[in-house]
Structure formats: structure tokens, C-alpha cells
Amino acid sequence: MADAAVANPRPRAPMREVTAWDQLKRNRNWLGFWFMVPAIAFLVLFLVYPLAKGIWISFTDAKIGRGGTFIGLENYEWLVGDTDFIRALVFTIVFTVVASAIKFAIGLYLALLLNNNLPFKALIRSIVLIPFIVPTVLSAVAFWWIFDTQFSVITWGLVKLGFLPKGGVINWLGDPFLAQCSVIFANIWRGIPFVAITLLAGLQTVSPSLYEAATLDGATKWQIFRHITYPLLTPIIAVVMTFSVLFTFTDFQLIWAMTRGGPVNATQLMATLSYQRGILGGNLGEGAAIATAMIPFLLATIMLSWFGLQRRKWQAGENTD
């Protein structure tokens, strides 16, 4: 029997041909792609599609309750001559530049300060985060009370200090210039913790041996910051300031809860004006055109950050020549 089994072995089953699908499933280079598929689908569904839909609506005369017809660049041509849009565009740029610059300066200072060996350092870091974790609307309501014409705590303090006569008031949110300063101050207060904590995380990655070597060479604190801290922190600065600018440029909640874009559209951002024209006014095409007009500015911010990071590739050991 054994000899017969050896002489007549059982025939092997024919091997199944390896298909392209099998190779894709087993290829390690494609493994990352499969893990990214759910995230890609989520972004396409909730980001790419609404963005494309909004751009399409901006080329139509759509209104709430009825579909629109294609009118080309008519909405954009009308915006060029709209004084309210021009004013909102200018204030949006001023609001973003001023608030982002001040947030970066104060945030960097706080990060350098918190990077030192301070007593109760963990508690201080937690306190610094409070403005960022408080809901935006709650912060806006608090600032709305702080800058209230009759009950402003700032006005009360100025009266107590003798800078204002008894019974004197300051129309913080009723005067166009003061209202602009008030909303910028509120945005700065909310954004500083994000910048400070993120830069502090970047500072934790800098090797202490670099500071020790510079100190032994007789470098001053300014020289250490200029030639060690700042260059090594540049990639983190580029990323954090990109997000800071994007958050500031599109800060709808704070403005809408504090001033509704007033007085006389003095604090109107492009985001609030788009909501006012598109949703409250019912002109979806016009509102979408205003929102779409924000895209070039946001892309410019992202590209500026990208090129800034490319110039610092030497930190990762790459050659930039």
C-alpha cells in the first residue's frame, strides 16, 4: 500500500492565479492608502462637496426657496462695486494682520516664560489655556458685557481711577473705531493660549545642550534666541501662525455674538457679511460669492507657510541648494 501511494501521489490542486487585487491587498505601500480611505471619504463628503457646491452657487442667482440659473461672474462683478463688501474685505485683512501679529508676540513671550523652571509651572500652564477652552459664544457674551455702554467694568474702573468723570460712559461697541478695537482685543485674548502652548511644545524639543554650549561660548540671551531658539522653532511658528491666521480670518462666532457686524458695518468680516447676505438676506448666490472670495486669501496663507517650511528643510538634514 505504501509503495502504491508513493508510486501514485495525490495530484496537487492547481494554484490560483494572483490577481492585481491580491497584490494591492498585500502590498505594504498601499496599506497606508487603505487606512486613509475613510478619512478621504469624510473630507470629500463634508468638505470638498460643500466647497464645490458653494463655488457653483456663486455663479448663479439662487435664492432661498428657488434654484438659480447660471449668470457667470455677475455676482463677483457686483461685489467689486459694493462699498459694504470692500469695507468688510479691508477690515477682515486689518483684523487678521493686527490680531495675528499681537497673538504671536505675546504667545511667543509666554512660551519662553513658561519654558523656564517656574514654581507651580503646571498650574500656570493650565490657567493659560482657559481662554482657549472656553466656548467662543460664552467668551463673546462676557466681552459684550465688559464693553457694554452702561455696565462696562472698564468704564467703571476708569471712573474710579479718575480718568472719567462720575457718570461718564464710553460707547465701546457703538463707536465704529472702538468697536473694531474691542473685537480685535477679544480675538487676541482667545487666540493667545493656542499660540503659546503650541510654541511651548516646540521649545520642549530643543536640546538643552545647545543652550549650554552657547552659554559657555559667552552668547547673550538675545543671541541664543536669535541663532538657536528662533531657527529651530521656525517650522512650528509657520504651522501655528497658519492656523492662527485661518482661525482669525474666519472668526464668525465672536463677531456675530458681540456686534452682528455693526455699528454701520464697521466690524463686518467677510464671513459675517456672507452669512448676512446669503442666509438672512436670502441671496444665496451673492452670499456664496462673498464666501468664495475668501478662498484666495486662505490659499495664500497656506502657500506662504509651505514655502516657509521648505526654506527650513536643512533642519531635517536636507540640502536646500
Side-chain angles (χ1 to χ4, degrees):
M1 293 292 294
D3 295 339
V6 172
N8 299 295
R10 180 179 298 178
R12 294 183 180 181
M15 294 183 62
R16 187 172 65 89
E17 183 180 356
V18 179
T19 63
W21 175 247
D22 294 329
Q23 294 179 355
L24 288 179
K25 289 192 297 183
R26 300 173 183 175
N27 192 332
R28 295 179 61 88
N29 295 329
W30 282 86
L31 183 62
F33 173 77
W34 299 127
F35 279 111
M36 288 295 295
V37 166
I40 294 173
F42 182 86
L43 291 176
V44 169
L45 181 62
F46 294 102
L47 182 63
V48 177
Y49 173 74
L51 177 62
K53 185 69 173 180
I55 295 175
W56 164 252
I57 293 176
S58 70
F59 294 109
T60 68
D61 60 352
K63 297 182 182 298
I64 292 180
R66 71 168 178 84
T69 58
F70 182 79
I71 58 174
L73 298 175
E74 185 174 325
N75 286 324
Y76 297 96
E77 293 172 355
W78 187 82
L79 288 177
V80 172
D82 184 9
T83 55
D84 290 339
F85 172 75
I86 300 300
R87 182 181 300 178
L89 173 61
V90 172
F91 179 67
T92 301
I93 296 175
V94 172
F95 177 79
T96 303
V97 171
V98 173
S100 298
I102 297 177
K103 281 187 287 188
F104 170 70
I106 300 178
L108 179 60
Y109 173 77
L110 285 177
L112 294 172
L113 185 64
L114 294 175
N115 195 42
N116 298 324
N117 293 323
L118 300 175
F120 308 106
K121 182 165 59 175
L123 177 61
I124 296 175
R125 291 178 180 178
S126 302
I127 294 174
V128 169
L129 268 177
I130 290 177
F132 187 69
I133 62 178
V134 173
T136 305
V137 175
L138 184 59
S139 299
V141 171
F143 277 106
W144 177 77
W145 173 76
I146 290 173
F147 293 115
D148 184 77
T149 303
Q150 295 182 346
F151 306 104
S152 171
V153 66
I154 300 177
T155 304
W156 176 82
L158 294 175
V159 170
K160 291 296 182 180
L161 293 174
F163 293 103
L164 284 178
K166 188 175 182 179
V169 296
I170 299 178
N171 195 8
W172 293 102
L173 299 180
D175 179 80
F177 178 73
L178 292 179
Q180 291 174 346
C181 294
S182 300
V183 295
I184 290 175
F185 178 84
N187 180 271
I188 292 171
W189 183 83
R190 273 194 52 78
I192 285 176
F194 171 74
V195 177
I197 296 301
T198 308
L199 294 182
L200 176 61
L203 288 173
Q204 301 292 312
T205 64
V206 180
S207 175
S209 61
L210 297 175
Y211 295 127
E212 295 173 0
T215 303
L216 292 175
D217 289 339
T220 62
K221 290 185 177 181
W222 168 247
Q223 291 173 329
I224 292 176
F225 171 79
R226 179 182 176 185
H227 297 289
I228 297 178
T229 304
Y230 180 75
L232 295 179
L233 206 60
T234 299
I236 306 298
I237 292 175
V239 173
V240 72
M241 290 310 299
T242 299
F243 282 101
S244 178
V245 169
L246 295 180
F247 293 156
T248 305
F249 195 88
T250 58
D251 193 0
F252 170 85
Q253 299 179 66
L254 186 67
I255 300 295
W256 193 255
M258 286 185 65
T259 64
R260 296 292 195 277
V264 293
N265 292 325
T267 60
Q268 197 82 266
L269 296 181
M270 295 176 70
T272 57
L273 183 63
S274 173
Y275 173 78
Q276 190 178 73
R277 297 282 180 85
I279 304 301
L280 300 184
N283 297 316
L284 294 179
E286 183 182 337
I290 297 173
T292 304
M294 300 168 59
I295 296 178
F297 298 96
L298 301 178
L299 288 178
T301 301
I302 296 173
M303 294 305 297
L304 183 63
S305 172
W306 169 258
F307 287 118
L309 287 174
Q310 292 298 308
R311 294 185 60 185
R312 291 295 178 179
K313 278 188 175 180
W314 57 268
Q315 297 183 31
E318 300 181 26
N319 189 2
T320 58
D321 292 337

